[in-house]
Amino acid sequence: MDEIAALIQHWKQDPTGTFQSWFLWPERLKNFRSIRQGLRQVVKEIKAGTFGNAYRGSSLETVVHSIAEQRQIFKGADHAFIWKPKLRIPDIYENSGNQRAFARLLETCDCCSEAEEVLCAIRALDSHAIKGLGPAVANLLYFIHPTLVSPFNTAIVKGFNAVSRSNVKLGRWDHYLTMRESILAFNAAHRGLLSNDLGAAAGFLFDVGSERYPLPPMADDMASHDAWRKDLEAVRAQSASQAKQLAASRQEDATHTQIQGWLRDLGHSLGYKVWIATNDRSRPYEEGKLSDGCLEQLPVALSIVGGDTVPLIDVIWLHEDGSVVAAFEVEHSTSIYSGIVRLLDLALGSADTIQRHLYLVAPDSRESDVRSQLARPAFSRVAALSMKYIPYSALKANRETIARFGTGMKPIEAIASKL
């Protein structure tokens, strides 16, 4: 095995590297759909002339903030889009022509499926030479086409330059496109270790660029390579001491699953059929799986109405006839934005009868976060849907009593707060 392949293997085994802490994170794929929906909202507002001339409070801020919450690899993703008035960048807030060019890129990439179409759309945007709007946009496009577009930030570029001995510069689309071609070749050469999703290769380059791992030496002598492997082992030992952070992250996932389990059991106790999010169904819970005793598939009508987001709602309660009683999004530590989008897709695409019981379930300490997210202009239609908040403490304190003596939705409404 060559030295780079050995380094990739080491990276995959590192409990605190991006492969295990982000790429394999169950919530990662779940957020793709809601982020894509958010980008569609940005396009819709630009085309309607209602996008506005500021980043703060815009639909773009909402979706980019959600991307920035995607753990360490996207930390700071919003920096490139924040309006810097003294520099007049990025020039998509006060220049309506540039704004429309940006929307055309997002819309074209959303509607196309071929790499050449994506590249043509990027080149079309680049031809406008929009001040301050460079390859950081690739972080948006990645969530539309993860197999065609690589994420982009300073650490990824540093890692790429270190591995390939290149000199890619930040802020230039031509340099990004050249880097993308090389990443595709790198990914193909190590496909057995990486993934069709370019997030894996980008995560590896991010950790290298963050100087998490030493690169193998260029000199072809055994002494140098033996020294490199010793350095790598030292990093492995250091990573073991950092594993506590990952353990805390996994505990968060376990808590999320526990709350879903409570809602599952409570739904069954109240006589409802229960749906568990598709990507959570196989999670271990108690002596079995989280989806034990739950529906194997949603009613066809919901699949049509909700597209690909509704099946990802954490817990849905349904009547025998398949109509929805209530829907719950558990927001333990992940982006509240994504959960709101999924509930909106269900509510706005369905009959009035299923719009009455929509809940965000979150720790007591996140109530202010929930309320601030719903105050964003992008969620102006939420008020009419009577979406409510259930704190963990209220669910924990009352779930057994509700299961034993409750009927219908009245006891759930009693522990929920208006938003």
Side-chain angles (χ1 to χ4, degrees):
M1 181 183 294
D2 65 61
E3 303 290 20
I4 291 295
L7 183 57
I8 294 173
Q9 284 279 33
H10 171 86
W11 167 71
K12 291 178 69 175
Q13 295 166 5
D14 182 355
T16 55
T18 54
F19 183 75
Q20 291 201 35
S21 65
W22 173 70
F23 192 74
L24 297 184
W25 182 39
E27 292 295 317
R28 185 181 75 93
L29 291 178
K30 193 172 181 179
N31 289 334
F32 268 73
R33 295 159 179 85
S34 51
I35 288 170
R36 190 166 180 169
Q37 289 288 81
L39 292 174
R40 289 171 183 164
Q41 180 65 25
V42 172
V43 172
K44 182 179 178 181
E45 291 181 9
I46 290 175
K47 292 174 72 174
T50 58
F51 180 75
N53 60 2
Y55 177 72
R56 298 299 184 192
S58 71
S59 54
L60 180 61
E61 183 196 22
T62 303
V63 71
V64 173
H65 181 72
S66 179
I67 291 172
E69 289 181 337
Q70 286 278 300
R71 299 202 166 168
Q72 70 266 45
I73 188 170
F74 286 106
K75 185 178 181 180
D78 55 349
H79 179 74
F81 298 94
I82 295 173
W83 172 236
K84 302 165 185 67
K86 291 183 179 179
L87 300 175
R88 321 305 295 174
I89 60 173
D91 195 11
I92 55 171
Y93 302 110
E94 297 184 346
N95 187 314
S96 58
N98 289 345
Q99 203 174 92
R100 289 192 295 271
F102 177 53
R104 282 194 296 272
L105 169 75
L106 298 179
E107 184 173 40
T108 300
C109 290
D110 188 30
C111 296
C112 72
S113 58
E114 300 297 328
E116 189 53 38
E117 294 174 294
V118 173
L119 296 179
C120 285
I122 289 174
R123 294 187 190 105
L125 179 72
D126 189 29
S127 69
H128 287 268
I130 300 173
K131 188 177 180 182
L133 196 70
V137 175
N139 289 329
L140 308 182
L141 302 186
Y142 168 72
F143 286 92
I144 300 176
H145 290 295
T147 62
L148 302 178
V149 180
S150 167
F152 176 92
N153 60 28
T154 303
I156 292 171
V157 171
K158 286 178 64 177
F160 174 80
N161 285 337
V163 169
S164 65
R165 317 298 179 182
S166 301
N167 189 29
V168 168
K169 297 186 184 300
L170 293 166
R172 292 185 54 175
W173 275 113
D174 57 341
H175 278 234
Y176 169 80
L177 293 177
T178 301
M179 182 181 79
R180 172 189 169 275
E181 290 297 326
S182 296
I183 289 176
L184 287 171
F186 176 82
N187 196 58
H190 300 283
R191 179 61 59 84
L193 295 173
L194 294 170
S195 168
N196 193 39
D197 182 331
L198 295 180
F204 171 71
L205 296 175
F206 174 86
D207 280 342
V208 170
S210 300
E211 300 181 351
R212 186 176 183 83
Y213 313 114
L215 280 175
M218 295 184 69
D220 191 17
D221 66 90
M222 290 302 297
S224 296
H225 284 268
D226 286 345
W228 171 71
R229 289 185 178 278
K230 288 181 180 179
D231 288 343
L232 205 56
E233 286 303 316
V235 172
R236 190 189 302 274
Q238 184 180 25
S239 296
S241 67
Q242 295 172 342
K244 292 181 180 179
Q245 299 174 5
L246 184 63
S249 173
R250 287 176 175 163
Q251 181 58 44
E252 290 175 354
D253 290 341
T255 301
H256 185 283
T257 300
Q258 182 183 55
I259 300 299
Q260 283 177 285
W262 288 356
L263 291 168
R264 178 199 72 178
D265 296 344
L266 193 52
H268 284 150
S269 297
L270 294 173
Y272 299 124
K273 291 182 176 296
V274 177
W275 169 260
I276 296 293
T278 50
N279 64 324
D280 295 331
R281 297 177 59 79
S282 60
R283 289 193 180 190
Y285 181 69
E286 294 184 340
E287 300 300 317
K289 295 188 300 184
L290 188 59
S291 61
D292 287 348
C294 298
L295 292 171
E296 291 294 325
Q297 55 185 164
L298 280 172
V300 175
L302 285 180
S303 298
I304 295 172
V305 167
D308 53 6
T309 55
V310 169
L312 292 169
I313 292 175
D314 285 321
V315 182
I316 302 176
W317 294 352
L318 303 97
H319 289 295
E320 287 291 332
D321 63 5
S323 60
V324 174
V325 180
F328 304 84
E329 270 294 329
V330 180
E331 305 299 345
H332 185 75
S333 61
T334 53
S335 170
I336 295 167
Y337 159 82
S338 299
I340 297 171
V341 169
R342 288 189 282 273
L343 292 177
L344 282 174
D345 283 348
L346 172 66
L348 298 179
S350 307
D352 290 342
T353 53
I354 69 167
Q355 294 184 16
R356 293 175 297 176
H357 303 298
L358 306 173
Y359 303 100
L360 290 166
V361 186
D364 299 49
S365 60
R366 296 200 80 189
E367 180 173 0
S368 60
D369 294 338
V370 171
R371 294 187 181 278
S372 63
Q373 280 289 335
L374 287 176
R376 291 178 178 272
F379 297 131
S380 59
R381 300 188 67 181
V382 169
L385 300 174
S386 300
M387 196 176 291
K388 295 183 178 179
Y389 160 70
I390 299 178
Y392 281 7
S393 61
L395 184 63
K396 181 179 181 179
N398 295 283
R399 64 188 181 90
E400 292 182 357
T401 301
I402 293 173
R404 290 178 62 190
F405 305 111
T407 57
M409 292 301 299
K410 187 174 181 179
I412 305 298
E413 288 285 282
I415 64 171
S417 303
K418 291 182 179 181
L419 291 169

